[in-house]
């Protein structure tokens, strides 16, 4: 079968003030008609640059194709003029970007942006384009498409904005759809909806899809073939089942071992790939992965391996064949060991037990946070967004309390209220028995020492004009009167504690990777030896290997310093791994609280069960149909009566629609707000 897309020995350079940088080097891959190919790898590996090169969008960012070719249906994209490639974009090849809020124009309505694409590429009237746009919105699952046509991007939820982006991409029936991290910022239920939609569209229209992701669970669920990239080159490519069953390249092996699974042992440290991906301006000689590879030899440091065929796949490693033989020998040895010996031999080294939970540290009692919608003086009946509505739970000393739920359920708002970054509408928060809401300014400032926060976006939460040493040392400057030399010594001790080189004290945030910046945020948070840390989506945007490093660091610090965490996340497998107990939120309310393992083995609420069913499994042999929750989350400004989940619950009855369930015990330490618990 003829390939739809063929990339041949592609190299891409970017012009910078310091000279030319090579971002992509000798990349070759193909995509057949109707095929889904996933590009995976850490941030900085070249995945997005490869996709932008296909669209020739690198032309607008000082980039150029310095070698090789890209052919779409036999036509060279590299040789086309800007006018020719512009006519092709949207009609033959289209792209879904990672962040729809920045890709969509905030000034124009959704309808205007879809019809604009249709009218540019098709000879249709304005009315015909409007009808086609409505049909597309309905096809991608947006309710009330006629009303959504008149809305602006900020008026849609994250999931609906991503669906609108897909509608724009589909407007002219492209043969190739490029999806660049289309679900990274979405929770598991919306992710399941988007991925299921992409599969449906592939089957319906016969499109080919190039899916870029760092979530290997998504790759396992979606891909026919997987291409692993590292530092601008392809390390390995193979059929999905081949790759997950037996990865050949040490980098691929490291990525797969770093994945946090639902059936993993919570008592062990996560595997991590040592070091970090190199900068384009300081690429190592030989194999680019050799500084981080446990099997590297002198040849790896001096000679760059080519991408060669081996047993039905392609791999760029000098020792792939010998490592494969060693693995076969080891597998044969394990197969003949007695069961008792196997269990002992398979016990991972350095077990990391979850710390014992001490006495209660924080009590959250009936906390409410309402945001007024009407600010006018003449409004008789004020309307509110009930972001957090009567939430009660506690956190013990040394405990990690996980908080999960869909975007918009109130998780982050609740975290900010606990730290009084948002003023509560009602209820109270007790810290070591003292009511935080009733404290005076002086007492509250003193309590800040014991309560800190690590934000989701480390770059957006720190001052980019400050040096890292000043960022980490700011809490010490505010709360403690230390001589400059002693403060620097304390900061360097903190940097060592979180795994940062003390020689980086005078560097700026932009000189660090995402994982390193997150370590800076953690060092700043623990500077005053707090007892409690709010980790608000602290690892959600990180690559799988960096994510494992940060999770291990958080657990190490908890064990060493006795920290308690409120860990907010939408990656349920990660939350399970780190948490003692987990609370599930829906539309401003806690609907279930249970020990982590109990919640995943025996969910009692239908919403929790639906969340677990939407988690992608990192094993192509265990693929299952995507099971998204039906419908959209209702508006917190007008929540449904009775059980707030009844509008989407398959087990809802008349009682659910009229009577609100209270949190009730269904097992020791396990509570659920459901009239008909599972």
């Amino acid at each position: 079968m003829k390939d739809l897309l063929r990339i041949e020995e592609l190299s891409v350079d970017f012009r910078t003030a310091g000279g030319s940088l090579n971002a992509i080097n000798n990349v070759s891959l193909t995509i057949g008609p109707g095929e889904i190919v996933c590009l995976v790898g850490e941030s900085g590996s070249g995945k997005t640059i490869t996709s932008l090169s296909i669209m020739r969008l690198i032309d607008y960012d000082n980039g150029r194709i310095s070698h090789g070719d890209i052919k779409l249906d036999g036509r060279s994209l590299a040789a086309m003029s800007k006018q020719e490639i512009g006519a092709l974009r949207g009609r033959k090849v289209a792209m879904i970007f990672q962040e729809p809020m920045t890709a969509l124009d905030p000034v124009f309505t959704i309808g205007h942006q879809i019809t604009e694409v249709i009218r540019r590429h098709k000879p249709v009237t304005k009315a015909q384009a409007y009808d086609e746009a409505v049909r597309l919105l309905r096809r991608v699952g947006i309710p009330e498409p006629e009303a959504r046509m008149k809305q602006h991007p900020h008026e849609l939820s994250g999931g609906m904005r991503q669906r609108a982006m897909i509608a724009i991409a589909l407007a002219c029936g492209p043969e190739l759809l490029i999806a660049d991290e289309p679900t990274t910022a979405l929770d598991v239920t919306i992710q399941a909806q988007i991925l299921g939609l992409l599969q449906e569209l592939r089957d319906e229209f016969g499109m080919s899809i190039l899916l870029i992701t760092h979530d290997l669970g998504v790759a396992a669920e979606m891909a026919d073939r997987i291409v692993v990239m590292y530092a601008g080159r392809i390390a390995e490519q193979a059929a999905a089942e081949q790759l997950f069953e037996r990865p050949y390249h040490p980098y691929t092996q490291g990525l797969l071992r770093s994945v946090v699974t639902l059936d993993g042992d919570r008592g062990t440290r996560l595997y991590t790939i040592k070091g970090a991906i190199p900068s384009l301006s300081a690429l190592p000689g030989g194999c680019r992965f050799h500084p981080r590879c446990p099997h590297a030899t002198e040849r790896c440091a001096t000679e760059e391996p080519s991408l060669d065929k081996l047993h039905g796949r392609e791999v760029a490693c000098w020792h792939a064949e010998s490592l494969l033989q060693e693995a076969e020998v080891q597998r044969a040895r394990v197969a003949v060991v007695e069961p008792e010996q196997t269990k002992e031999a398979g016990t991972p080294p350095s077990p990391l037990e979850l710390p014992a939970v001490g006495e209660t540290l924080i009590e959250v009692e009936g906390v409410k946070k309402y945001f007024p919608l009407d600010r006018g003086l003449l409004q008789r009946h004020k309307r509110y967004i009930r972001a957090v509505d009567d939430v009660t739970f506690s956190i013990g000393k040394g405990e990690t309390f996980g908080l999960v739920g869909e975007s918009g359920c109130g998780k982050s708002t609740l975290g900010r209220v606990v730290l009084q970054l948002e003023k509560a509408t009602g209820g109270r928060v007790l810290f070591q028995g003292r009511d935080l809401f009733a404290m005076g300014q002086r007492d509250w400032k003193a309590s800040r020492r014991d309560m800190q926060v690590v934000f989701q976006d480390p770059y957006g939460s720190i001052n980019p004009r400050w040096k890292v040493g000043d960022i980490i040392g700011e809490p010490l400057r505010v709360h403690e009167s230390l001589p400059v030399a002693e403060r620097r010594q304390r900061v360097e001790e903190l940097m060592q504690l979180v795994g940062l080189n003390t020689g980086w004290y005078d560097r700026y945030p932009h000189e660090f990777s995402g994982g390193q910046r997150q370590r800076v945020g953690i060092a700043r948070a623990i500077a005053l030896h707090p007892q409690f840390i709010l980790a608000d989506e602290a690892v959600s945007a990180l690559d799988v290997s960096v994510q494992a490093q940060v999770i291990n660091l958080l657990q190490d610090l908890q064990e060493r310093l006795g920290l308690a965490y409120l860990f907010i996340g939408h990656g349920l497998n990660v939350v399970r791994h780190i948490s003692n107990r987990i609370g599930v939120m829906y539309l401003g309310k806690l609907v279930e609280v249970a020990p982590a393992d109990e919640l995943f083995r025996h969910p009692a609420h239908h919403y929790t069960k639906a969340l677990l069913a939407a988690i992608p499994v990192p094993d192509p042999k265990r693929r299952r149909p995507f099971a998204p929750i039906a419908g959209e989350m209702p508006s917190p400004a007008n929540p449904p009566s009775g059980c707030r989940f009844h509008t989407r619950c398959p087990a809802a009855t008349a009682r659910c629609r009229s009577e609100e369930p209270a949190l009730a015990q269904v097992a020791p330490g396990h509570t659920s707000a459901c009239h008909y618990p599972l």
Side-chain angles (χ1 to χ4, degrees), residues 15 88 92 96 100 136 261 315 389 409 416 452 467 643:
R15 296 184 299 276
L88 218 60
K92 294 279 286 186
I96 305 168
L136 284 167
T261 61
V315 60
D389 200 3
C409 71
R416 291 196 298 270
Q452 294 292 320
K467 295 176 181 179
C643 173

Side-chain angles (χ1 to χ4, degrees), residues 285-287 290 295-305 318-319:
C287 172
H290 87 263
H295 309 289
T297 63
E298 185 176 343
R299 184 184 187 189
C300 302
T302 56
E303 297 181 44
E304 187 169 48
W318 291 121
H319 308 299

Side-chain angles (χ1 to χ4, degrees), residues 400-519:
T400 298
F401 186 88
L403 201 58
V404 300
E406 294 173 282
S407 297
C409 71
K411 307 186 300 294
S412 294
T413 301
L414 175 59
R416 291 196 298 270
V417 168
V418 169
L419 289 185
Q420 278 201 278
L421 300 176
E422 294 276 3
K423 189 175 181 180
T425 305
R428 63 178 188 163
V429 175
L430 304 180
F431 183 76
Q432 294 182 316
R434 301 182 65 193
D435 188 348
L436 294 178
F437 298 169
M439 283 184 180
Q441 186 66 29
R442 179 176 297 179
D443 290 338
W444 171 238
K445 182 179 178 181
S447 72
R448 285 284 192 191
R449 298 176 60 96
D450 292 318
M451 306 179 72
Q452 294 292 320
V453 60
V454 178
F455 294 99
Q456 176 177 358
D457 179 10
Y459 196 64
S461 59
I462 56 182
N463 192 328
R465 297 188 179 186
W466 284 15
K467 295 176 181 179
V468 161
D470 296 328
I471 291 168
I472 297 173
E474 185 187 21
L476 299 172
R477 189 171 62 253
V478 171
H479 290 274
E480 297 183 5
S481 299
L482 298 175
V484 174
E486 186 177 345
R487 187 164 68 233
R488 178 166 184 137
Q489 181 182 349
R490 287 273 296 274
V491 170
E492 289 179 347
E493 290 172 357
L494 289 165
M495 293 178 73
Q496 288 179 329
L497 191 60
V498 300
L500 292 172
N501 191 322
T502 56
W504 298 342
Y505 186 99
D506 293 316
R507 290 190 180 183
Y508 290 90
H510 73 270
E511 299 179 77
F512 292 84
S513 67
Q516 289 170 334
R517 284 198 290 262
Q518 197 60 285
R519 289 172 184 266

Side-chain angles (χ1 to χ4, degrees), residues 100-101 104-113 142 146-158 160-161 164:
M101 194 59 188
L104 294 170
D105 193 321
V107 176
F108 296 103
T109 64
I110 295 297
H112 175 89
Q113 295 184 61
I142 291 183
E146 291 84 357
R148 305 299 182 190
M149 289 280 288
K150 302 173 185 177
Q151 292 182 317
H152 291 79
H154 71 272
E155 298 178 270
L156 304 183
S157 68
M160 283 201 285
R161 281 197 294 267

Side-chain angles (χ1 to χ4, degrees), residues 239-307:
E241 286 195 12
Q242 280 183 320
L243 191 99
F244 276 84
E245 182 179 358
R246 192 171 302 172
Y248 283 10
H249 198 285
Y251 178 58
T252 312
Q253 295 169 7
L255 287 178
L256 293 180
R257 289 183 65 187
S258 301
V259 174
V260 185
T261 61
L262 290 179
D263 50 5
D265 186 353
R266 294 173 60 243
T268 60
R269 292 174 58 81
L270 296 174
Y271 177 85
T272 61
I273 304 174
K274 70 175 184 178
I277 199 162
S279 166
L280 293 178
S281 60
L283 292 172
C287 172
R288 297 184 178 186
F289 184 61
H290 87 263
R292 306 172 69 189
C293 181
H295 309 289
T297 63
E298 185 176 343
R299 184 184 187 189
C300 302
T302 56
E303 297 181 44
E304 187 169 48
S306 58
L307 190 68

